[in-house]
Amino acid sequence: MSATTTEPLSYLDNTGDDPTVRARLVVGDNDFHAVTNKVCGIVESPQPRLWWVAFAISSSLTLVLLAMIAYLVTTGIGVWGLMIPVGWGYAIVNFVFWVGIGHAGTLISAILFLLRQRWRTSINRFAEGMTIFAVVCAGVFPGIHVGRVWFAYWLAPIPNQMSMWPNFRSPLLWDVFAVGTYATVSLLFWYMGMIPDLAALRDRAKTKIRYYAYGLLALGWRSSNRHWHRFEFAYLLLAALATPLVLSVHSVVSFDFAVSIMPGWHTTIFPPYFVAGAIFSGFAMVVTLVIPVRRIYGLQEIITKRHLENMAKIMLATGTMVGFAYSTEFFIAWYSGNTYEAFTFMNRAFGPYAWAYWTMVTCNVLVPQVFWMKRFRTNTILLWIASVLINVGMWFERFVIVVSSLSRDYLPTSWGYYRPSIVDILTFVGSFGLFFTLFLLFVRFLPIVGMAEVKGVMPQAHLDRPGHRGHGDYHGDITGTEVLS
Amino acid sequence: MSSMNHHNGMAYWRSLDELEQTAEFREAVGREFPNDDWDRLPPATRRQFLKVMGASLALAGLTACRWPKEEIVPFAHRPEGRTPGVPQRFATSMEIDGVALGMLVTSFDGRPIKAEGNPLHPDSLGALSAVAQAEILQLYDPDRSRRLLLREGGQQYVKDWNEFESLAGGLFSGAGAAVLAGAFSSPTLGALRERFLTAHPEARWYEYEPISRDNEREGTRLVFGSMVRIHPHLGGAEVVACFDADPLFDHPAALRLVREFAAARNPESGTGGRLYVGESGFSLTGVRADHRVAVASSRVPALLAAVANSLVAEHGLELPAAAAGFAGATDHSATDDERHFVDLLAADLMTHRSRSVVLVGPRQAPAVHALAAVLNHALGATGSTITYTADPSPDRPSHLEAISDLARRIQDDEIETLLILGGNPAYDAPADLDFADLLAGVPVSIHLSLYDDETSKLCTWHLPASHSLESWGDGAAWDGTLSLRQPLIEPLYGGRSAIEVLAIAADDGPKSGYELVRESLSGRSGIPISGDFWRRALRDGVVGQSAWETVAPPTDPAGLASAVDGLRELLEVGRPTTEHPELVLVPDAKVFDGRFANNGWLQELPDAITKITWDNALLISPATARDIGVSDSEVASVEARGATLDLPVCVVPGMARNCAAVALGYGRAAAGQVGNGVGVDTYRFRTTAAPGILSGVAIRGTGRSYELATTQDHFAIDTIGFSERNLRVADLVRETSLDAYLENPEIIHEQEHHPPLISLWKDHEYEGEQWGMAIDLNACIGCNACIVACQAENNIPVVGRQQVLNQREMQWIRLDRYFKTAPGVTPDEVDDAEIVFQPMTCVQCENAPCEQVCPVAATQHTTDGLNAMVYNRCIGTRYCSNNCPYKVRRFNFFNYHKDLADTTKMQFNPDVTVRSRGVMEKCTFCVQRIEAVRIAARNDNRPIADGEIMPACAQTCPAEAITFGNLNDRSSDVSRSREEHRSYAALAELNIRPRTHYLARVNNPVDGMPSSVEGAGDHGKESG
Amino acid sequence: MNEDKSNDIFIFPRWTGILRPAIAAGALGGALYATVIVAFGFSPWATDVGYAPVQPVPYSHALHVGQLGMDCRYCHNTVEHTAAAAIPPTQTCMNCHKSVRAASERLIPVFESYSTGMPVQWIRVHDLPDFVYFNHSAHVRRGVGCVSCHGRIDTMEVVTQVKPLSMSWCLDCHRNPERHLRPVEFITELDWVPDDDQLVLGRRLRETKNINPPQDCNTCHR
């Protein structure tokens, strides 16, 4: 629980691949109380100095973001590097980047839940939180990238004296709805799942403020049987509701490009390709965050190496899918015989933006391949480095798609080369500030591990089942309803 | 003596002022600091955009509330024939280099807002050049001088006209008085000159223009004994041979010549014709050439001599005995291209005798013009493709002689008082005269000028001139037709015109320009100046049948002999080498000799060939660049005639080997806030000995680089982009040869390979009109007139060099320029190339990609087929622009109108919304003009006649390349041109169904099948 | 009781029962209230209608049109031919006021303007945004009466804006013009009422004169 926990000893290693030995999802001799102490302790005990340093940095970056937005709104889009032909630059790239990252949480909590991947329990809360903050960051950009922000409300279908509707044929409008829905549902999902743990915090509260604050948030949770029943049923429903969204959001985002007629944008492969990429980047971001956190707050026994390894495997899978998408694009560009399309891809790989393209390929396709090797999956340092690289790569993927396609379209006379302005860059950096500020506050005030759910997969949860003691991810006769009631 | 008076006078006024304590005086006292730049505007310039602008979010929000209180101020007495809010048009004229150009100026509630051509004027025929149209902006230029200034002892005093008048009387009496005027054709000014010289017999009169056709004049004198003016007629010309000449652009009668040329070259209705051009760098004429060879300007005489040779030797053409010497000189160093060119041309000239014409550019020496005249004569061109009139001022010395003589006299202190009417000699006089220094030494120098410019700052007196749209005047067209000039607005800054000032100097008392013009007109023989005549003349802007008589001058053996010697000398000149390349100084296509340097429209106008804005650059061919070792956008240090200048290099194909060219007219020091410090002042290279062609210069790379603000990518880009560009041109800009076209009219469609085009959406229905446009690439010569017309009509802002560098230029019309090179070559292998133009603006797609993606429906299809752009609805997502395959939409990245002076805002067209920042804008076929005509027609229940609606671009196009009209009317011009075989749509394979179609360009080379047609081996562009 | 004690912390006090419905109601009501207020407060109905600025000369349309029965076009004489229904020059006023009330000091601004040539500075009442291009002639020639947009000017002492002049208001008429069409000879008769039903008349006029008001953006925005 303190920052001084040492690197996990061998007994903490639950990454064995021997199917006869059921790996434990929580290692060390932790009983329920120990888990509660560990998790609640993070919120209750004062934060390590490292937290304060991080918070100082990220919050000042947030101020930078606000300053840049103010400058933008008072001066004009021209403070960015945009021009004709490249009418979309960093803003949209960042938007897609953040939305993509926002995919891991809901995927883990919803899809893995429905798939009974019970190892999710240790990381889902954490991932969901990250999702919300990523979506917040994403939400910033479409808002500020329009030329006349003060009229952005015209995007919403509200009655007005002009008796004008928005244009429902425009993918940008679909975006508004898709991202809006996604944000709402993820938020609900996140909050729903937190209620029992908030109640736990409430019950352990030492100060009045905490008592009432957590009390209010806990919505009077008394952990009665009925409560648990309702809770788990609602959780199941939300999971079912969220699952299609995981796939729909980034599909819709990809329509922004796929529906246009720009070579390099107008591609049928975009929806699946974007979703795969989103999950890819999402997990990369989870890993990037979770490794330091578990280290600093001594959660190695709850967020175990097995969790990291599993995520590494998912990254390997999705990363390979993305790589496949890249190659398919090239093949189709050649196979379709569409010379514009063909040129766009040759230009990506060998034109002025080749540097961005090859950065993308290296980070997204080559780097994940190391996860074929267990060493890389289980060594936290290497894993962390790889996941950071993947984040970089995924940002460049969006950059390549948006910018390199626009910069050279149909008429050679209107070709151009896009250079970001300093404001572009600071806005981007600032969005990271916003993201980490929110994340640090989350760590500071909310339970970052779903205690109740973790307890559910601990050996102690199955004392009533002789013969299955200690088999955390037992898949036998524990049916959904059983789990839920 | 006069300086004595002057001094006393000075003291007298000052005491008087002190007595009265007039406002001016106090102002002057307050501001009497040496070289104090006090009468500047607030330093907000149109070019500093990256500083924070106003319009905060809060204010923007408030606009949702009640509009600000507005006032209506009706006339107390409404003038006759004036209806509030209804524009009126007046015929007037402006004079450039002594040639009057007729204009029709639209005036809205008393504000002139747009200049168009005067259909009745022989040199305009309804069209107007880019430069002339930009006059409107100059009229409202806030930098124009507003006061009379007297500079003495490093101090600056504000004066008024009375003070000058009372002084002027004494100034010009006695020896040492001189007047330096520009070239002029105004009879009134001519009459006043006589009056002035009779009033002051000892005074001297000089005329200087940095850019003139004096060589041509002198050439004709050599041939005919007397100076005559040459009038080419391209209408009936089967063969036009241009030697360093650009009749389609830099000729005073270019607009007429373009009209004739375009009409003749139309493969359906035209008489045909073939264009040969031998020149050092691409001129607009060269772009249209059927056979073009790039030769250094110093070698052009040799080229023409070779033609003469071949004509005489191989085709048996007889020259006058005295001119026999022109032939016989064989150029052994000629390249194969040159030989080929000469053989083809000579043969063609011979077969088309009397239907051919040889033209030589003003840069070339008189002897070359003489040779051309002789050839024209021998080929029987005289009277058919070329006519002559007597030179209007035969006894005028050449401009260079004049300025040299004046300089010499100033040097010898013979000049006491110098009155400079317009012009800017301190800036543009030949460098070897050091005219600026000399001028500073003249005791009393008076400069009448629109701006307090380089010359004014060196003169003791600066007089603000009235703009040509503010003053009465007259002038003669190139063919002599008398053109009247009437003011459209009171002088904004209290300026006076040259004739008014000269009248004062001639002791003719202060008289209004109106009086003076009427006087001289009535004085003019043969013209009854009755009220009726006067009114008609004013309405028409020209006096009918007032063109000069054509003459058929006999040749003059003596002159011819000297011409032959002159040519022989020219032939001695060797070819320029890599070590000693040649530099050609050319007048700029936009700022001309520098006089328009403060005009934002022109500064930002992309040069037709290089697409450079806001700069002049050293143009050299790729091969030469490689040899010399400089690269595109590198700063080269150029040393010529003792001066060394750093010039940015622009590598452009089509320049002659080892021959560089650079434009004059840049690097102004006192042009105004727009023009100051733009480009490099290359007049420093220009000497009386070598005014245009400088041989043996030194060009060295400096390693430093300087980014030129171009509106298109440079010729040299990465290999992959370069080859793709070459691949696409053949499909985008279709062209074929006349032979191939006549043999198979469908030839330009043979390269179309795409699957059937099926639309996802339901087709629009059109009951009434549906508008369409056709642009004839065979007529378009790339003169940029349409761009300025559009800018003036649609309130398009000037954004400045930095924004152009950021690729945010705003002109709605983009004149796409493509270099055509053989397929498969890399930028490093190319040296020469063919150029094709394609005017590109919104084509109003039927299936418009922009309409589908706009989230707020700010761009929509209208019931007459337009692709409407609703500025007040646009929120600026820029999605439409991203999705536009032609990239013809323009975005207001900043509030570009914020820093405009109030005077400049007076130019705005009130019928077009001024776009705020954050708003997308684009061409809408001048929808304001469409609506105006539609309402008028509906009001009197009549259909809209074909051609009644004219978009600004179509109206001003000298080649009549742009046709606009109703596609639902099968008989309309545009429908018919749609049905021509040459008609095609750019990017048709995307099935966006553009409403603007292009008519393919048809070249007429001798050998029939130009490579460009086979070059179009580019298949199957299924839309992505 | 022990258990009760330990359970107390789980139990909210009874009064908190009211909170949930209260919060719900508050949120809903508040949202509704805000929407209504904003929507109405910013609508032209609230911002523009009823605008009646004080003019430099207290010119009474009620007197000139209502009582003296002058035709609108006597002063606004360009209305049938041009976009603007021009405010008359001072000259027009003086045509009568040379003799009529030639001494009234309320007319002094007019007399001054007439003698000095400086215009009378009237205040614009019916003011459209600069990006809207309304053309009087196009409407008047089709038989849209003055009253349709300007109301009963002939009863106004001070000219007041009576219609919102909002885009939706324009569109209402462009979509169903028959409600406002009348024979052109009656366009300036502000109190004119059709003999038979307006809709019947309107439809007939629309039919005969083939009036199809365009709803393209660039009909009004250029």
Side-chain angles (χ1 to χ4, degrees), chain B residues 277-323:
Chain B
V277 176
E279 59 186 357
S280 52
F282 263 116
S283 68
L284 290 187
T285 311
V287 171
R288 295 295 283 112
D290 299 302
H291 292 282
R292 177 180 182 274
V293 62
V295 293
S297 288
S298 59
R299 299 296 300 169
V300 166
L303 191 67
L304 183 54
V307 173
N309 242 351
S310 151
L311 277 171
V312 173
E314 290 157 37
H315 302 283
L317 181 76
E318 286 128 19
L319 301 182

Side-chain angles (χ1 to χ4, degrees), chain B residues 85-90 92 103-116 128 132-140 467 469 488-489 492 601 788-796 902-912 928-929 952:
Chain B
V86 177
Q88 295 166 288
R89 308 171 85 211
F90 299 94
T92 179
M103 313 197 279
L104 279 187
V105 180
T106 307
S107 169
F108 193 98
D109 286 353
R111 297 176 291 119
I113 60 170
K114 185 153 191 319
E116 297 180 344
L128 202 55
Q133 291 183 76
E135 279 281 292
I136 283 280
L137 191 63
Q138 190 182 42
L139 166 69
Y140 294 114
H467 191 268
L469 294 171
L488 278 100
I489 189 170
L492 288 167
W601 288 354
V788 177
C790 177
Q791 190 148 21
E793 171 75 17
N794 292 300
N795 306 335
I796 298 174
D902 290 347
T903 46
T904 318
K905 289 176 181 164
M906 287 170 72
Q907 181 277 328
F908 281 161
N909 178 356
D911 287 336
V912 178
Q928 66 279 9
R929 291 185 174 207

Side-chain angles (χ1 to χ4, degrees), chain A residues 71-89 91-92 145-155 160 162 164-173 255-263 265-266 336-341 343-348 350-352 406 408-419, chain B residues 49-57 60-61 63 707 711-713 717-718 720-722 724-725 728 731-732 761 806-808 814 816-818 838 840 849 851-857 860 871-879 881-887 889-891 893-895 916-920 987 989-990 992 1018-1024:
Chain A
Y71 180 46
L72 172 81
V73 170
T74 52
T75 310
I77 294 295
V79 302
W80 289 347
L82 297 177
M83 38 87 161
I84 311 294
V86 183
W88 286 353
I92 298 299
H145 98 293
V146 300
R148 299 201 292 174
V149 182
W150 47 95
F151 286 135
Y153 70 91
W154 283 350
L155 285 164
N160 54 63
M162 297 173 285
M164 284 283 294
W165 289 110
N167 175 11
F168 290 101
R169 286 196 300 174
S170 167
L172 273 191
L173 205 63
F255 290 164
D256 286 346
F257 309 104
V259 166
S260 82
I261 64 166
M262 285 297 112
W265 279 15
H266 183 85
S336 67
N338 178 335
T339 53
Y340 297 115
E341 192 78 6
F343 169 71
T344 302
F345 283 91
M346 289 312 287
N347 185 49
R348 273 186 192 173
F350 307 109
L406 283 178
R408 287 187 167 182
D409 65 341
Y410 291 97
L411 298 191
T413 47
S414 57
W415 288 353
Y417 189 82
Y418 165 83
R419 290 184 199 76
Chain B
F49 283 118
L50 288 180
K51 64 185 172 62
V52 182
M53 303 187 184
S56 76
L57 182 53
T63 56
E707 203 179 352
T711 59
Q712 277 184 29
D713 49 5
I717 57 173
D718 59 295
I720 171 169
F722 182 85
E724 178 69 11
R725 192 171 58 189
R728 290 187 189 178
D731 200 41
L732 289 170
W761 312 110
N806 298 354
Q807 300 180 58
R808 295 169 180 173
R814 202 176 62 225
D816 287 356
R817 177 267 295 130
Y818 296 95
Q838 181 174 44
M840 179 60 73
E851 291 168 10
Q852 283 154 36
V853 296
C854 175
V856 292
Q860 292 192 349
Y871 306 124
N872 45 300
R873 175 70 178 177
C874 175
I875 65 171
T877 65
R878 303 179 299 290
Y879 200 172
S881 168
N882 288 347
N883 208 26
C884 172
Y886 304 93
K887 289 289 176 285
R889 291 174 158 266
R890 303 282 174 263
F891 187 66
F893 285 92
F894 293 111
N895 179 355
S916 85
R917 90 174 142 97
V919 170
M920 191 63 70
L987 299 180
E989 60 271 27
L990 299 182
I992 45 187
D1018 170 0
H1019 292 284
K1021 290 242 174 86
E1022 294 80 15
S1023 81

Side-chain angles (χ1 to χ4, degrees), chain A residues 115-153:
Chain A
L115 297 179
R116 308 258 180 287
Q117 290 299 314
R118 313 182 67 207
W119 58 274
R120 64 180 267 285
T121 52
S122 311
I123 49 167
N124 70 331
R125 169 71 41 74
F126 187 85
E128 288 166 26
M130 185 207 68
T131 294
I132 307 293
F133 311 141
V135 171
V136 169
C137 292
V140 169
F141 288 99
I144 62 171
H145 98 293
V146 300
R148 299 201 292 174
V149 182
W150 47 95
F151 286 135
Y153 70 91

Side-chain angles (χ1 to χ4, degrees), chain B residues 914-932:
Chain B
V914 174
R915 282 78 60 188
S916 85
R917 90 174 142 97
V919 170
M920 191 63 70
E921 62 184 66
K922 72 169 188 73
C923 159
T924 51
F925 282 171
C926 283
V927 64
Q928 66 279 9
R929 291 185 174 207
I930 296 175
E931 293 299 322

Side-chain angles (χ1 to χ4, degrees), chain C residues 51-101:
Chain C
Y51 180 58
V54 180
Q55 301 288 359
V57 180
Y59 175 85
S60 161
H61 281 81
L63 171 65
H64 291 79
V65 186
Q67 296 175 32
L68 304 178
M70 289 168 60
D71 188 289
C72 307
R73 286 163 294 193
Y74 177 74
C75 300
H76 307 287
N77 58 349
T78 66
V79 70
E80 288 174 304
H81 313 291
T82 69
I87 301 299
T90 320
Q91 173 70 58
T92 311
C93 313
M94 295 305 285
N95 291 350
C96 304
H97 284 291
K98 273 216 190 72
S99 44
V100 184
R101 300 207 180 256

Side-chain angles (χ1 to χ4, degrees), chain B residues 317 352-356 373-386:
Chain B
L317 181 76
H352 298 96
R353 299 184 65 150
S354 82
R355 296 198 316 290
S356 61
V374 168
L375 287 178
N376 284 328
H377 206 73
L379 288 165
T382 318
S384 73
T385 56
I386 204 163

